[in-house]
PDB file of all heavy atoms in Angstrom:
ATOM      1  N   ARG D  19     -63.845  76.100 -86.626  1.00  0.00           N
ATOM      2  CA  ARG D  19     -63.996  77.392 -86.025  1.00  0.00           C
ATOM      3  C   ARG D  19     -64.496  78.406 -86.978  1.00  0.00           C
ATOM      4  O   ARG D  19     -65.391  79.276 -86.498  1.00  0.00           O
ATOM      5  CB  ARG D  19     -62.627  77.811 -85.470  1.00  0.00           C
ATOM      6  CG  ARG D  19     -62.274  77.017 -84.220  1.00  0.00           C
ATOM      7  CD  ARG D  19     -60.684  77.083 -83.912  1.00  0.00           C
ATOM      8  NE  ARG D  19     -60.254  78.447 -83.681  1.00  0.00           N
ATOM      9  CZ  ARG D  19     -60.280  79.129 -82.603  1.00  0.00           C
ATOM     10  NH1 ARG D  19     -60.750  78.532 -81.470  1.00  0.00           N
ATOM     11  NH2 ARG D  19     -59.844  80.336 -82.445  1.00  0.00           N
ATOM     12  N   LYS D  20     -64.036  78.487 -88.165  1.00  0.00           N
ATOM     13  CA  LYS D  20     -64.616  79.430 -89.164  1.00  0.00           C
ATOM     14  C   LYS D  20     -66.104  79.124 -89.480  1.00  0.00           C
ATOM     15  O   LYS D  20     -66.861  79.990 -89.677  1.00  0.00           O
ATOM     16  CB  LYS D  20     -63.756  79.335 -90.492  1.00  0.00           C
ATOM     17  CG  LYS D  20     -62.468  80.033 -90.366  1.00  0.00           C
ATOM     18  CD  LYS D  20     -62.647  81.544 -90.498  1.00  0.00           C
ATOM     19  CE  LYS D  20     -61.246  82.217 -90.592  1.00  0.00           C
ATOM     20  NZ  LYS D  20     -61.475  83.705 -90.626  1.00  0.00           N
ATOM     21  N   ALA D  21     -66.393  77.757 -89.527  1.00  0.00           N
ATOM     22  CA  ALA D  21     -67.803  77.480 -89.798  1.00  0.00           C
ATOM     23  C   ALA D  21     -68.754  77.864 -88.709  1.00  0.00           C
ATOM     24  O   ALA D  21     -69.912  78.292 -88.961  1.00  0.00           O
ATOM     25  CB  ALA D  21     -67.879  75.940 -89.982  1.00  0.00           C
ATOM     26  N   GLN D  22     -68.222  77.738 -87.428  1.00  0.00           N
ATOM     27  CA  GLN D  22     -69.016  78.222 -86.337  1.00  0.00           C
ATOM     28  C   GLN D  22     -69.160  79.684 -86.355  1.00  0.00           C
ATOM     29  O   GLN D  22     -70.289  80.209 -85.961  1.00  0.00           O
ATOM     30  CB  GLN D  22     -68.385  77.709 -85.033  1.00  0.00           C
ATOM     31  CG  GLN D  22     -68.415  76.238 -84.841  1.00  0.00           C
ATOM     32  CD  GLN D  22     -69.833  75.697 -84.843  1.00  0.00           C
ATOM     33  OE1 GLN D  22     -70.631  75.933 -83.809  1.00  0.00           O
ATOM     34  NE2 GLN D  22     -70.161  74.954 -85.818  1.00  0.00           N
ATOM     35  N   ALA D  23     -68.108  80.378 -86.792  1.00  0.00           N
ATOM     36  CA  ALA D  23     -68.291  81.796 -86.914  1.00  0.00           C
ATOM     37  C   ALA D  23     -69.279  82.200 -88.017  1.00  0.00           C
ATOM     38  O   ALA D  23     -70.174  83.121 -87.826  1.00  0.00           O
ATOM     39  CB  ALA D  23     -66.942  82.396 -87.220  1.00  0.00           C
ATOM     40  N   ALA D  24     -69.360  81.448 -89.057  1.00  0.00           N
ATOM     41  CA  ALA D  24     -70.274  81.707 -90.111  1.00  0.00           C
ATOM     42  C   ALA D  24     -71.754  81.428 -89.554  1.00  0.00           C
ATOM     43  O   ALA D  24     -72.679  82.257 -89.861  1.00  0.00           O
ATOM     44  CB  ALA D  24     -70.036  80.714 -91.340  1.00  0.00           C
ATOM     45  N   LYS D  25     -71.875  80.434 -88.790  1.00  0.00           N
ATOM     46  CA  LYS D  25     -73.191  80.171 -88.218  1.00  0.00           C
ATOM     47  C   LYS D  25     -73.622  81.320 -87.233  1.00  0.00           C
ATOM     48  O   LYS D  25     -74.771  81.726 -87.274  1.00  0.00           O
ATOM     49  CB  LYS D  25     -73.139  78.793 -87.459  1.00  0.00           C
ATOM     50  CG  LYS D  25     -74.514  78.268 -87.048  1.00  0.00           C
ATOM     51  CD  LYS D  25     -74.432  76.851 -86.536  1.00  0.00           C
ATOM     52  CE  LYS D  25     -75.833  76.291 -86.274  1.00  0.00           C
ATOM     53  NZ  LYS D  25     -75.699  74.865 -85.806  1.00  0.00           N
ATOM     54  N   ARG D  26     -72.679  81.818 -86.481  1.00  0.00           N
ATOM     55  CA  ARG D  26     -73.081  83.002 -85.645  1.00  0.00           C
ATOM     56  C   ARG D  26     -73.445  84.167 -86.475  1.00  0.00           C
ATOM     57  O   ARG D  26     -74.230  85.063 -86.055  1.00  0.00           O
ATOM     58  CB  ARG D  26     -71.941  83.301 -84.687  1.00  0.00           C
ATOM     59  CG  ARG D  26     -71.635  82.187 -83.638  1.00  0.00           C
ATOM     60  CD  ARG D  26     -70.728  82.712 -82.565  1.00  0.00           C
ATOM     61  NE  ARG D  26     -69.359  82.954 -83.086  1.00  0.00           N
ATOM     62  CZ  ARG D  26     -68.427  82.011 -83.168  1.00  0.00           C
ATOM     63  NH1 ARG D  26     -68.694  80.820 -82.708  1.00  0.00           N
ATOM     64  NH2 ARG D  26     -67.210  82.258 -83.595  1.00  0.00           N
ATOM     65  N   ASN D  27     -72.940  84.323 -87.704  1.00  0.00           N
ATOM     66  CA  ASN D  27     -73.271  85.381 -88.525  1.00  0.00           C
ATOM     67  C   ASN D  27     -74.481  85.143 -89.325  1.00  0.00           C
ATOM     68  O   ASN D  27     -74.808  85.913 -90.269  1.00  0.00           O
ATOM     69  CB  ASN D  27     -72.039  85.613 -89.533  1.00  0.00           C
ATOM     70  CG  ASN D  27     -70.782  86.122 -88.859  1.00  0.00           C
ATOM     71  OD1 ASN D  27     -70.816  86.662 -87.817  1.00  0.00           O
ATOM     72  ND2 ASN D  27     -69.630  85.922 -89.576  1.00  0.00           N
ATOM     73  N   GLY D  28     -75.193  84.066 -89.071  1.00  0.00           N
ATOM     74  CA  GLY D  28     -76.492  83.779 -89.738  1.00  0.00           C
ATOM     75  C   GLY D  28     -76.364  82.739 -90.893  1.00  0.00           C
ATOM     76  O   GLY D  28     -77.387  82.570 -91.519  1.00  0.00           O
ATOM     77  N   SER D  29     -75.232  82.169 -91.071  1.00  0.00           N
ATOM     78  CA  SER D  29     -75.126  81.096 -92.117  1.00  0.00           C
ATOM     79  C   SER D  29     -75.854  79.852 -91.794  1.00  0.00           C
ATOM     80  O   SER D  29     -75.996  79.490 -90.667  1.00  0.00           O
ATOM     81  CB  SER D  29     -73.676  80.788 -92.372  1.00  0.00           C
ATOM     82  OG  SER D  29     -73.545  79.762 -93.364  1.00  0.00           O
ATOM     83  N   ILE D  30     -76.368  79.144 -92.784  1.00  0.00           N
ATOM     84  CA  ILE D  30     -77.017  77.901 -92.649  1.00  0.00           C
ATOM     85  C   ILE D  30     -75.966  76.845 -93.120  1.00  0.00           C
ATOM     86  O   ILE D  30     -75.407  76.917 -94.152  1.00  0.00           O
ATOM     87  CB  ILE D  30     -78.219  77.753 -93.629  1.00  0.00           C
ATOM     88  CG1 ILE D  30     -79.332  78.726 -93.158  1.00  0.00           C
ATOM     89  CG2 ILE D  30     -78.853  76.319 -93.611  1.00  0.00           C
ATOM     90  CD1 ILE D  30     -80.462  78.817 -94.124  1.00  0.00           C
ATOM     91  N   LEU D  31     -75.781  75.901 -92.197  1.00  0.00           N
ATOM     92  CA  LEU D  31     -74.708  74.887 -92.348  1.00  0.00           C
ATOM     93  C   LEU D  31     -75.402  73.544 -92.748  1.00  0.00           C
ATOM     94  O   LEU D  31     -76.338  73.198 -91.999  1.00  0.00           O
ATOM     95  CB  LEU D  31     -73.850  74.644 -91.162  1.00  0.00           C
ATOM     96  CG  LEU D  31     -72.565  75.429 -91.026  1.00  0.00           C
ATOM     97  CD1 LEU D  31     -72.830  76.999 -90.991  1.00  0.00           C
ATOM     98  CD2 LEU D  31     -71.819  75.109 -89.738  1.00  0.00           C
ATOM     99  N   ILE D  32     -74.977  72.947 -93.812  1.00  0.00           N
ATOM    100  CA  ILE D  32     -75.546  71.649 -94.262  1.00  0.00           C
ATOM    101  C   ILE D  32     -74.399  70.750 -94.500  1.00  0.00           C
ATOM    102  O   ILE D  32     -73.445  71.014 -95.187  1.00  0.00           O
ATOM    103  CB  ILE D  32     -76.403  71.802 -95.562  1.00  0.00           C
ATOM    104  CG1 ILE D  32     -77.603  72.787 -95.237  1.00  0.00           C
ATOM    105  CG2 ILE D  32     -76.838  70.451 -96.066  1.00  0.00           C
ATOM    106  CD1 ILE D  32     -78.438  73.084 -96.525  1.00  0.00           C
ATOM    107  N   ALA D  33     -74.496  69.537 -93.939  1.00  0.00           N
ATOM    108  CA  ALA D  33     -73.541  68.414 -94.121  1.00  0.00           C
ATOM    109  C   ALA D  33     -74.061  67.423 -95.000  1.00  0.00           C
ATOM    110  O   ALA D  33     -75.249  66.969 -94.907  1.00  0.00           O
ATOM    111  CB  ALA D  33     -73.233  67.739 -92.732  1.00  0.00           C
ATOM    112  N   ILE D  34     -73.243  67.104 -96.067  1.00  0.00           N
ATOM    113  CA  ILE D  34     -73.603  66.043 -96.984  1.00  0.00           C
ATOM    114  C   ILE D  34     -72.569  64.929 -96.756  1.00  0.00           C
ATOM    115  O   ILE D  34     -71.361  65.101 -97.045  1.00  0.00           O
ATOM    116  CB  ILE D  34     -73.564  66.539 -98.455  1.00  0.00           C
ATOM    117  CG1 ILE D  34     -74.512  67.668 -98.697  1.00  0.00           C
ATOM    118  CG2 ILE D  34     -73.824  65.355 -99.439  1.00  0.00           C
ATOM    119  CD1 ILE D  34     -74.433  68.351-100.025  1.00  0.00           C
ATOM    120  N   ASP D  35     -73.025  63.784 -96.216  1.00  0.00           N
ATOM    121  CA  ASP D  35     -72.169  62.721 -95.800  1.00  0.00           C
ATOM    122  C   ASP D  35     -72.922  61.549 -95.433  1.00  0.00           C
ATOM    123  O   ASP D  35     -74.035  61.587 -94.807  1.00  0.00           O
ATOM    124  CB  ASP D  35     -71.404  63.212 -94.473  1.00  0.00           C
ATOM    125  CG  ASP D  35     -70.194  62.417 -94.063  1.00  0.00           C
ATOM    126  OD1 ASP D  35     -70.262  61.203 -94.289  1.00  0.00           O
ATOM    127  OD2 ASP D  35     -69.176  62.935 -93.627  1.00  0.00           O
ATOM    128  N   PRO D  36     -72.500  60.345 -95.910  1.00  0.00           N
ATOM    129  CA  PRO D  36     -73.219  59.106 -95.582  1.00  0.00           C
ATOM    130  C   PRO D  36     -73.427  58.883 -94.115  1.00  0.00           C
ATOM    131  O   PRO D  36     -74.233  58.155 -93.684  1.00  0.00           O
ATOM    132  CB  PRO D  36     -72.366  58.005 -96.274  1.00  0.00           C
ATOM    133  CG  PRO D  36     -71.623  58.595 -97.261  1.00  0.00           C
ATOM    134  CD  PRO D  36     -71.326  60.014 -96.794  1.00  0.00           C
ATOM    135  N   TYR D  37     -72.461  59.478 -93.328  1.00  0.00           N
ATOM    136  CA  TYR D  37     -72.298  59.206 -91.911  1.00  0.00           C
ATOM    137  C   TYR D  37     -72.621  60.484 -91.113  1.00  0.00           C
ATOM    138  O   TYR D  37     -72.170  61.552 -91.484  1.00  0.00           O
ATOM    139  CB  TYR D  37     -70.839  58.768 -91.680  1.00  0.00           C
ATOM    140  CG  TYR D  37     -70.388  58.650 -90.212  1.00  0.00           C
ATOM    141  CD1 TYR D  37     -71.119  57.844 -89.320  1.00  0.00           C
ATOM    142  CD2 TYR D  37     -69.219  59.245 -89.799  1.00  0.00           C
ATOM    143  CE1 TYR D  37     -70.637  57.728 -88.021  1.00  0.00           C
ATOM    144  CE2 TYR D  37     -68.692  59.074 -88.591  1.00  0.00           C
ATOM    145  CZ  TYR D  37     -69.462  58.296 -87.657  1.00  0.00           C
ATOM    146  OH  TYR D  37     -68.928  58.164 -86.363  1.00  0.00           O
ATOM    147  N   ARG D  38     -73.407  60.312 -90.010  1.00  0.00           N
ATOM    148  CA  ARG D  38     -73.711  61.503 -89.193  1.00  0.00           C
ATOM    149  C   ARG D  38     -72.488  61.715 -88.197  1.00  0.00           C
ATOM    150  O   ARG D  38     -72.517  61.337 -87.093  1.00  0.00           O
ATOM    151  CB  ARG D  38     -75.050  61.424 -88.433  1.00  0.00           C
ATOM    152  CG  ARG D  38     -75.491  62.719 -87.864  1.00  0.00           C
ATOM    153  CD  ARG D  38     -76.932  62.697 -87.319  1.00  0.00           C
ATOM    154  NE  ARG D  38     -77.036  62.052 -86.032  1.00  0.00           N
ATOM    155  CZ  ARG D  38     -77.638  60.892 -85.717  1.00  0.00           C
ATOM    156  NH1 ARG D  38     -78.318  60.283 -86.633  1.00  0.00           N
ATOM    157  NH2 ARG D  38     -77.661  60.454 -84.507  1.00  0.00           N
ATOM    158  N   SER D  39     -71.551  62.370 -88.759  1.00  0.00           N
ATOM    159  CA  SER D  39     -70.268  62.614 -88.004  1.00  0.00           C
ATOM    160  C   SER D  39     -70.483  63.661 -86.870  1.00  0.00           C
ATOM    161  O   SER D  39     -71.594  64.202 -86.791  1.00  0.00           O
ATOM    162  CB  SER D  39     -69.210  63.156 -88.941  1.00  0.00           C
ATOM    163  OG  SER D  39     -69.523  64.393 -89.444  1.00  0.00           O
ATOM    164  N   LEU D  40     -69.491  63.882 -86.139  1.00  0.00           N
ATOM    165  CA  LEU D  40     -69.545  64.848 -85.073  1.00  0.00           C
ATOM    166  C   LEU D  40     -69.882  66.220 -85.593  1.00  0.00           C
ATOM    167  O   LEU D  40     -70.694  66.961 -85.063  1.00  0.00           O
ATOM    168  CB  LEU D  40     -68.195  64.950 -84.329  1.00  0.00           C
ATOM    169  CG  LEU D  40     -67.775  63.736 -83.459  1.00  0.00           C
ATOM    170  CD1 LEU D  40     -66.372  63.922 -83.005  1.00  0.00           C
ATOM    171  CD2 LEU D  40     -68.706  63.640 -82.286  1.00  0.00           C
ATOM    172  N   SER D  41     -69.340  66.519 -86.756  1.00  0.00           N
ATOM    173  CA  SER D  41     -69.664  67.858 -87.415  1.00  0.00           C
ATOM    174  C   SER D  41     -71.068  67.848 -87.950  1.00  0.00           C
ATOM    175  O   SER D  41     -71.731  68.813 -87.810  1.00  0.00           O
ATOM    176  CB  SER D  41     -68.625  68.078 -88.591  1.00  0.00           C
ATOM    177  OG  SER D  41     -67.347  68.068 -88.107  1.00  0.00           O
ATOM    178  N   ALA D  42     -71.420  66.793 -88.583  1.00  0.00           N
ATOM    179  CA  ALA D  42     -72.827  66.708 -89.172  1.00  0.00           C
ATOM    180  C   ALA D  42     -73.909  66.921 -88.184  1.00  0.00           C
ATOM    181  O   ALA D  42     -74.896  67.533 -88.328  1.00  0.00           O
ATOM    182  CB  ALA D  42     -73.019  65.444 -89.966  1.00  0.00           C
ATOM    183  N   GLU D  43     -73.633  66.350 -86.974  1.00  0.00           N
ATOM    184  CA  GLU D  43     -74.556  66.493 -85.839  1.00  0.00           C
ATOM    185  C   GLU D  43     -74.791  67.901 -85.448  1.00  0.00           C
ATOM    186  O   GLU D  43     -75.910  68.264 -84.910  1.00  0.00           O
ATOM    187  CB  GLU D  43     -74.046  65.711 -84.612  1.00  0.00           C
ATOM    188  CG  GLU D  43     -74.148  64.228 -84.685  1.00  0.00           C
ATOM    189  CD  GLU D  43     -73.708  63.562 -83.451  1.00  0.00           C
ATOM    190  OE1 GLU D  43     -72.761  63.929 -82.852  1.00  0.00           O
ATOM    191  OE2 GLU D  43     -74.413  62.558 -83.020  1.00  0.00           O
ATOM    192  N   LYS D  44     -73.778  68.728 -85.690  1.00  0.00           N
ATOM    193  CA  LYS D  44     -73.919  70.178 -85.258  1.00  0.00           C
ATOM    194  C   LYS D  44     -74.388  71.102 -86.332  1.00  0.00           C
ATOM    195  O   LYS D  44     -74.379  72.302 -86.136  1.00  0.00           O
ATOM    196  CB  LYS D  44     -72.581  70.646 -84.680  1.00  0.00           C
ATOM    197  CG  LYS D  44     -72.151  69.745 -83.421  1.00  0.00           C
ATOM    198  CD  LYS D  44     -70.803  70.244 -82.899  1.00  0.00           C
ATOM    199  CE  LYS D  44     -70.364  69.433 -81.686  1.00  0.00           C
ATOM    200  NZ  LYS D  44     -71.393  69.374 -80.624  1.00  0.00           N
ATOM    201  N   CYS D  45     -74.580  70.576 -87.549  1.00  0.00           N
ATOM    202  CA  CYS D  45     -75.080  71.375 -88.668  1.00  0.00           C
ATOM    203  C   CYS D  45     -76.651  71.569 -88.662  1.00  0.00           C
ATOM    204  O   CYS D  45     -77.349  70.821 -87.850  1.00  0.00           O
ATOM    205  CB  CYS D  45     -74.670  70.827 -90.003  1.00  0.00           C
ATOM    206  SG  CYS D  45     -72.944  70.929 -90.298  1.00  0.00           S
ATOM    207  N   ASP D  46     -77.091  72.484 -89.383  1.00  0.00           N
ATOM    208  CA  ASP D  46     -78.582  72.745 -89.421  1.00  0.00           C
ATOM    209  C   ASP D  46     -79.335  71.598 -90.104  1.00  0.00           C
ATOM    210  O   ASP D  46     -80.486  71.247 -89.825  1.00  0.00           O
ATOM    211  CB  ASP D  46     -78.873  74.023 -90.123  1.00  0.00           C
ATOM    212  CG  ASP D  46     -78.342  75.256 -89.394  1.00  0.00           C
ATOM    213  OD1 ASP D  46     -78.820  75.600 -88.306  1.00  0.00           O
ATOM    214  OD2 ASP D  46     -77.365  75.834 -89.887  1.00  0.00           O
ATOM    215  N   GLN D  47     -78.621  70.898 -90.992  1.00  0.00           N
ATOM    216  CA  GLN D  47     -79.198  69.761 -91.726  1.00  0.00           C
ATOM    217  C   GLN D  47     -78.064  68.768 -92.104  1.00  0.00           C
ATOM    218  O   GLN D  47     -76.980  69.160 -92.414  1.00  0.00           O
ATOM    219  CB  GLN D  47     -79.901  70.212 -93.053  1.00  0.00           C
ATOM    220  CG  GLN D  47     -80.624  69.181 -93.724  1.00  0.00           C
ATOM    221  CD  GLN D  47     -81.263  69.598 -95.027  1.00  0.00           C
ATOM    222  OE1 GLN D  47     -81.057  70.739 -95.486  1.00  0.00           O
ATOM    223  NE2 GLN D  47     -81.994  68.656 -95.696  1.00  0.00           N
ATOM    224  N   HIS D  48     -78.459  67.497 -92.023  1.00  0.00           N
ATOM    225  CA  HIS D  48     -77.548  66.498 -92.454  1.00  0.00           C
ATOM    226  C   HIS D  48     -78.246  65.655 -93.629  1.00  0.00           C
ATOM    227  O   HIS D  48     -79.376  65.104 -93.365  1.00  0.00           O
ATOM    228  CB  HIS D  48     -77.136  65.523 -91.353  1.00  0.00           C
ATOM    229  CG  HIS D  48     -76.395  64.320 -91.718  1.00  0.00           C
ATOM    230  ND1 HIS D  48     -76.608  63.040 -91.252  1.00  0.00           N
ATOM    231  CD2 HIS D  48     -75.431  64.162 -92.691  1.00  0.00           C
ATOM    232  CE1 HIS D  48     -75.794  62.155 -91.839  1.00  0.00           C
ATOM    233  NE2 HIS D  48     -75.104  62.805 -92.711  1.00  0.00           N
ATOM    234  N   ILE D  49     -77.576  65.619 -94.798  1.00  0.00           N
ATOM    235  CA  ILE D  49     -78.114  64.824 -95.825  1.00  0.00           C
ATOM    236  C   ILE D  49     -77.210  63.530 -96.012  1.00  0.00           C
ATOM    237  O   ILE D  49     -76.056  63.620 -96.345  1.00  0.00           O
ATOM    238  CB  ILE D  49     -78.053  65.684 -97.133  1.00  0.00           C
ATOM    239  CG1 ILE D  49     -78.900  66.891 -97.019  1.00  0.00           C
ATOM    240  CG2 ILE D  49     -78.489  64.784 -98.318  1.00  0.00           C
ATOM    241  CD1 ILE D  49     -78.712  67.816 -98.265  1.00  0.00           C
TER     242      ILE D  49
END
């Protein structure tokens, strides 16, 4: 919920994970 608030505030979300998890799918980039 905090991460989503950050995104609404203009933050860029990047997931670093071997697996494209539910959260990684919703980030701006998945590595």
